[in-house]
Amino acid sequence: MDQQLEVFIKVVEKKNFSKAAEELHMTQPAVSQYIRSLEESTGVKLLERTNKYVRLNKAGEIVFHHALEIKELYAKMNHLLDDLTNKASGSIAIGASYTFGEYLLPAIIAEAKEQYPDIKPTVTIGNTTTIAALVLNHQLDVGIVEGHFKGVKELKTEPFAKDRMVIVAPANHPLTERENPILIKELTEETWILRELGSGTREAAEAVFEKFELSPQAIMHFSSTQPIKAMVEAGIGISLLSEWAIQKELKYGDIKVLNVKEMPYTRDFSIVTRSPFQTKALSEFLKLLKNHKEVTDFKVE
């Protein structure tokens, strides 16, 4: 990687020339010279400097953002070259939306570490929109998401498994005792407790409402699944959730699945990548992901 950019990144991260010099095992004048050379080559001033602080100006923000991308791409290039002769090893930056990340990914990571002890996975959990954006910006090597995102031609999306979604209610809800199937339109007056906009689970709920022309009279929303389950258990309302997310609650009888005629609703789990090249570590992880027993229970045909 270009030494000027490496020094620039370190100065920005440390917010101090002397601390950056110490980290890079260089003299402070040498660090200053690298920054001057970078500013001369770009033709713009990148840092605001006083005796008290060093901070980015607008041009500096642009250079810093792209310098981080260049650093990630440079590291990925070296991993790919190493993989031509070496075994699967090195870092994998994995992103996952909440349902997959919280309820399926931990077991897959454990299996990957057992089979490939030299890989170093890091995991980011976020909603589908967030994970897709991080993959697009090279901050993640791969994303595992539910739902869809539009207008991002640079990303490759590969559905690899199905997820079944059901409507859940408090264990003592009157409808849990009904033998005949419930019509989804009977749930209009219920309070629906949903995920936030931008999440795959919320997208699924909106798709169900549109498909069956359902207009709930009351909606509450939360940014993760755990508080939704707690609210349902407490009798506040009902929700549409993945079967994977409610295994423990069903086992202990804390909540129940309503026998709704139009359910379950199915959606895809998808793998999202940007680069056509994969490190050996990432390639082996994806093979393991696609063949993991829990995932293959709901395999895409």
Side-chain angles (χ1 to χ4, degrees):
M1 180 177 166
D2 184 271
Q3 186 76 18
Q4 291 178 347
L5 290 180
E6 189 173 348
V7 172
F8 177 68
I9 289 171
K10 190 60 66 176
V11 169
V12 174
E13 290 176 341
K14 295 297 179 181
K15 299 182 176 65
N16 184 283
F17 276 70
S18 60
K19 289 180 180 178
E22 184 179 347
E23 187 87 7
L24 293 166
H25 305 289
M26 299 169 62
T27 64
Q28 185 170 332
V31 169
S32 298
Q33 181 57 48
Y34 274 113
I35 298 300
R36 278 196 298 270
S37 296
L38 180 60
E39 289 179 328
E40 288 172 3
S41 65
T42 57
V44 291
K45 187 177 180 181
L46 304 174
L47 297 171
E48 300 295 336
R49 298 181 279 256
T50 71
N51 292 332
K52 295 182 178 180
Y53 64 79
V54 175
R55 67 187 181 196
L56 292 168
N57 57 24
K58 187 63 178 178
E61 290 176 0
I62 293 171
V63 173
F64 182 64
H65 172 78
H66 287 87
L68 290 177
E69 285 196 9
I70 292 168
K71 183 179 179 181
E72 290 293 329
L73 290 170
Y74 186 80
K76 189 175 293 185
M77 178 190 71
N78 284 328
H79 281 314
L80 287 165
L81 294 174
D82 289 342
D83 285 347
L84 293 175
T85 55
N86 298 325
K87 61 183 180 180
S89 63
S91 62
I92 312 174
I94 303 165
S97 50
Y98 284 96
T99 298
F100 199 94
E102 292 180 340
Y103 301 103
L104 288 167
L105 188 58
I108 296 169
I109 293 289
E111 188 174 335
K113 287 293 293 178
E114 183 177 351
Q115 292 190 27
Y116 307 104
D118 293 327
I119 69 168
K120 299 177 178 63
T122 58
V123 177
T124 299
I125 305 294
N127 65 34
T128 293
T129 301
T130 298
I131 296 303
L134 291 173
V135 174
L136 181 64
N137 292 328
H138 302 288
Q139 293 173 264
L140 292 174
D141 297 313
V142 60
I144 307 163
V145 302
E146 65 261 5
H148 303 86
F149 42 89
K150 301 175 182 178
V152 189
K153 296 179 181 178
E154 297 91 342
L155 295 180
K156 177 186 175 183
T157 304
E158 178 188 357
F160 72 102
K162 292 289 185 183
D163 180 28
R164 287 201 299 255
M165 305 193 70
V166 293
I167 297 175
V168 296
N172 60 355
H173 195 289
L175 290 176
T176 61
E177 304 299 326
R178 200 160 114 181
E179 295 182 4
N180 295 328
I182 303 159
L183 295 176
I184 197 167
K185 285 192 175 183
E186 296 180 56
L187 304 176
T188 301
E189 295 184 4
E190 299 286 339
T191 296
W192 286 77
I193 307 170
L194 306 175
R195 285 286 308 280
E196 82 287 3
L197 292 173
S199 76
T201 299
R202 177 60 176 267
E203 181 188 273
E206 299 287 353
V208 168
F209 294 161
E210 181 177 355
K211 180 177 180 180
F212 299 108
E213 298 180 343
L214 184 70
S215 299
Q217 293 187 2
I219 292 178
M220 300 175 64
H221 58 86
F222 291 85
S223 59
S224 68
T225 301
Q226 200 58 42
I228 291 176
K229 294 190 293 184
M231 294 290 281
V232 172
E233 183 180 343
I236 306 301
I238 65 174
S239 188
L240 178 74
L241 294 174
S242 166
E243 286 186 337
W244 290 116
I246 57 174
Q247 295 300 305
K248 185 169 70 173
E249 290 76 14
L250 291 179
K251 178 181 178 180
Y252 291 106
D254 297 328
I255 61 178
K256 290 186 178 180
V257 175
L258 293 181
N259 180 19
V260 179
K261 182 179 179 181
E262 296 88 347
M263 293 289 110
Y265 174 83
T266 59
R267 60 178 177 176
D268 291 330
F269 284 133
S270 297
I271 294 167
V272 181
T273 53
R274 176 167 183 175
S275 172
F277 303 105
Q278 295 176 356
T279 65
K280 185 173 289 186
L282 178 57
S283 177
E284 294 302 318
F285 171 78
L286 292 179
K287 288 180 186 176
L288 189 153
L289 171 66
K290 294 173 186 177
N291 293 299
H292 189 76
K293 183 180 184 305
E294 283 188 324
V295 172
T296 55
D297 285 345
F298 300 123
K299 199 72 174 177
V300 170
E301 298 297 334

